[in-house]
């Protein structure tokens, strides 16, 4: 996609947009349909797009079958908002065609997240990032492409941003426990298949990941960089700085370790913070209880804290284990444990919330 495609050439806003879903057969694509339906999104029309393999099949939406079309450059005529979730290479290949046809692209891939001029948006955190005046656009204009952040970043920022806003986060250390869904529908199917195979005493099939996934865990499958970090970890670092609008000299120090665990669809994250100013556990709990999109499960007496199953198929991100870090005296060290549905708030819900910000 050329930088011209990033330009705000599309300014069409409508009360009832025609929406295209690119990658409609995938794990996130299917969730888009559920979220649009459940939120009563005011659809003017709906176009489902996937590969030639799926063309002609139909998917049920609000009781009616909708035929899936093959994605081509001609797919976007009459489309107002295109929700892309078919991987970065498809976004790079087709986003330009969508914006040329007058659609606003909400892209779920990492293709444009760090591109200058492309807002990276978590609606509870930085909705102002798509407001014309804030990004140098004329009144009424919107950017051609808006990026949906990485799922682990979104889930982390729902919990950490209220604390950052209140007392400042100087340093953040996050360790993730990431579900199969982040690697797509095929990875979820492989986890299920391997679980059956291992229980039956058979050799597990390893088509998606090179090593056994069921009854195991491993370092995130994204490519490793020369500095030893994988791409997922670096996304959490760089995307957070962009979403929080931090300039070079004000950046929160962030490090991440991302691990794939044999859980179907909700990510968990252990987060350790060093705060600019002290915060009591009670104050942290209150900030999080009041935060949009966040629910607490923090029952010390019952030893009951968030689990991926609590978060699965649910909009809110769950937070618990809110406690002072013993190794950082003075009330400036805080630990949190967070669980969020990767497919929903980590992807489809966040993108649909962005689309809602575009409604007239
Ligand atoms: P298809 O089912 O036709 O392959 P997931 O992330 O769950 O693996 O889903 C990936 C999504 O991206 C699916 O909807 C898939 O469609 C779609 N996709 C993959 N390759 C292409 C392509 N070349 N053109 C259009 N859609 C594609």
């Amino acid at each position: 996609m050329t930088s011209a495609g990033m330009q705000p050439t599309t300014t069409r806003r409508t009360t009832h947009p025609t929406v295209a879903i690119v990658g409609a057969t995938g794990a996130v694509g299917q969730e888009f349909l559920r979220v649009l339906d459940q939120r009563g999104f005011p659809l003017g029309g709906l176009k489902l797009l996937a590969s030639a393999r799926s063309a002609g099949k139909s998917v049920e939406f609000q009781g009616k079958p909708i035929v899936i079309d093959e994605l081509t450059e001609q797919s976007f005529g009459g489309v107002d908002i295109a929700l892309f979730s078919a991987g970065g290479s498809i976004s790079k290949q087709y986003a330009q065609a969508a914006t040329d046809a007058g659609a606003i692209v909400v892209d779920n891939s990492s293709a444009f997240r760090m591109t200058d001029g492309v807002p990276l948006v978590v609606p509870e955190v930085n909705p102002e990032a798509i407001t014309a005046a804030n990004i140098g656009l004329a009144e009424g204009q919107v950017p051609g492409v808006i990026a949906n952040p990485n799922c682990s970043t979104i889930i982390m920022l729902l919990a950490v941003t209220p604390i950052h806003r209140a007392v400042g986060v100087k340093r953040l250390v996050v360790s993730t426990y990431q579900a199969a869904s982040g690697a797509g529908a095929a990875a979820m199917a492989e986890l299920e298949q391997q679980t059956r195979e291992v229980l039956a005493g058979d050799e597990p099939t390893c088509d998606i990941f090179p090593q056994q996934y069921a009854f195991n865990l491993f370092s995130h499958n994204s490519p490793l960089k020369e500095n030893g970090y994988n791409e997922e970890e670096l996304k959490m670092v760089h995307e957070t700085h962009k979403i929080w609008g931090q300039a070079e000299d004000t950046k929160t120090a962030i490090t991440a370790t991302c691990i794939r665990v044999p859980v179907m669809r909700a990510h968990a994250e252990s987060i350790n913070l060093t705060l600019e100013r002290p915060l009591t556990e009670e104050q942290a709990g209150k900030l999080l209880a009041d935060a949009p999109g966040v629910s607490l499960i923090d029952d010390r007496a019952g030893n009951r804290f968030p689990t991926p199953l609590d978060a699965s198929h649910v909009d809110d991100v769950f937070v618990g284990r809110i406690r002072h870090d013993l190794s950082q005296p003075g009330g400036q060290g805080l630990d949190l444990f967070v669980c969020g549905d990767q497919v929903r708030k980590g992807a489809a819900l966040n993108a649909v919330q962005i689309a809602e910000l575009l409604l007239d």
Side-chain angles (χ1 to χ4, degrees):
M1 186 174 191
T2 64
S3 58
M6 301 299 168
Q7 299 308 311
T9 49
T10 57
T11 58
R12 207 160 59 200
R13 292 178 80 117
T14 150
T15 52
H16 287 75
T18 292
V19 172
I21 298 179
V22 177
T25 51
V28 175
Q30 290 291 296
E31 196 68 21
F32 274 135
L33 293 173
R34 279 187 283 275
V35 172
L36 289 168
D37 179 35
Q38 289 164 359
R39 293 177 76 81
F41 188 92
L43 286 168
L46 182 61
K47 210 167 191 178
L48 303 186
L49 303 166
S51 77
R53 295 178 292 275
S54 306
K57 292 182 189 163
S58 69
V59 167
E60 182 119 334
F61 181 70
Q62 297 181 332
K64 291 190 205 113
I66 302 188
V67 176
I68 295 169
D69 291 328
E70 179 182 355
L71 171 66
T72 70
E73 296 202 342
Q74 283 67 53
S75 296
F76 299 98
V79 171
D80 300 302
I81 298 174
L83 304 173
F84 272 66
S85 192
S89 57
I90 297 291
S91 296
K92 283 184 187 146
Q93 199 178 337
Y94 291 97
Q96 178 86 56
T99 58
D100 284 351
I104 300 162
V105 170
V106 181
D107 185 29
N108 210 48
S109 81
S110 61
F112 306 116
R113 285 181 193 149
M114 298 308 294
T115 304
D116 282 346
V118 173
L120 184 63
V121 179
V122 182
E124 292 87 346
V125 175
N126 63 336
E128 71 285 353
I130 61 168
T131 306
N134 289 333
I135 47 176
L137 304 182
E139 183 61 32
Q141 286 193 313
V142 288
V145 178
I146 300 168
N148 205 49
N150 167 273
C151 47
S152 302
T153 309
I154 295 174
I155 291 164
M156 174 172 80
L157 291 190
L158 271 236
V160 177
T161 303
I163 293 168
H164 179 57
R165 295 255 162 83
V167 292
V169 172
K170 191 152 63 173
R171 181 164 189 258
L172 187 165
V173 181
V174 57
S175 303
T176 69
Y177 312 73
Q178 295 186 219
S181 53
M188 297 167 85
E190 181 159 297
L191 174 57
E192 190 173 329
Q193 182 184 357
Q194 280 194 8
T195 305
R196 291 182 201 286
E197 288 168 340
V198 173
L199 288 174
D202 296 333
E203 228 7 72
T205 306
C206 295
D207 289 337
I208 305 296
F209 298 117
Q211 51 204 318
Q212 181 177 327
Y213 189 18
F215 305 99
N216 196 15
L217 57 81
F218 43 79
S219 184
H220 194 275
N221 47 293
S222 56
L224 274 177
K225 299 296 192 188
E226 263 184 16
N227 62 5
Y229 281 78
N230 61 48
E231 281 184 3
E232 184 83 357
E233 293 160 351
L234 295 177
K235 285 174 190 173
M236 295 189 80
V237 175
H238 300 312
E239 292 181 17
T240 297
H241 292 146
K242 179 167 176 174
I243 294 164
W244 280 354
Q246 293 182 316
E248 198 56 50
D249 56 341
T250 63
K251 279 181 179 169
T252 296
I254 305 174
T255 185
T257 302
C258 292
I259 303 292
R260 191 72 79 183
V261 298
V263 164
M264 206 49 91
R265 60 172 283 156
H267 290 352
E269 303 181 10
S270 166
I271 299 172
N272 177 264
L273 304 174
T274 304
L275 308 173
E276 302 274 1
R277 296 180 295 283
L279 190 70
T280 65
E281 290 171 344
E282 292 69 29
Q283 287 168 328
K286 171 92 172 67
L287 283 170
L288 289 164
D290 292 345
V294 175
S295 291
L296 294 189
I297 303 180
D298 202 24
D299 172 12
R300 291 185 185 178
N303 198 10
R304 181 72 176 86
F305 302 106
T307 69
L309 287 182
D310 292 320
S312 293
H313 306 279
V314 177
D315 286 352
D316 275 9
V317 163
F318 292 86
V319 186
R321 306 291 327 270
I322 303 168
R323 65 198 191 283
H324 273 144
D325 171 1
L326 282 179
S327 73
Q328 301 187 73
Q332 281 170 257
L334 193 72
D335 280 304
L336 306 173
F337 188 70
V338 179
C339 289
D341 188 309
Q342 183 276 327
V343 194
R344 209 168 168 91
K345 183 57 192 170
L349 171 62
N350 198 74
V352 171
Q353 289 174 305
I354 292 172
E356 288 170 351
L357 294 176
L358 298 171
L359 295 172
D360 229 2

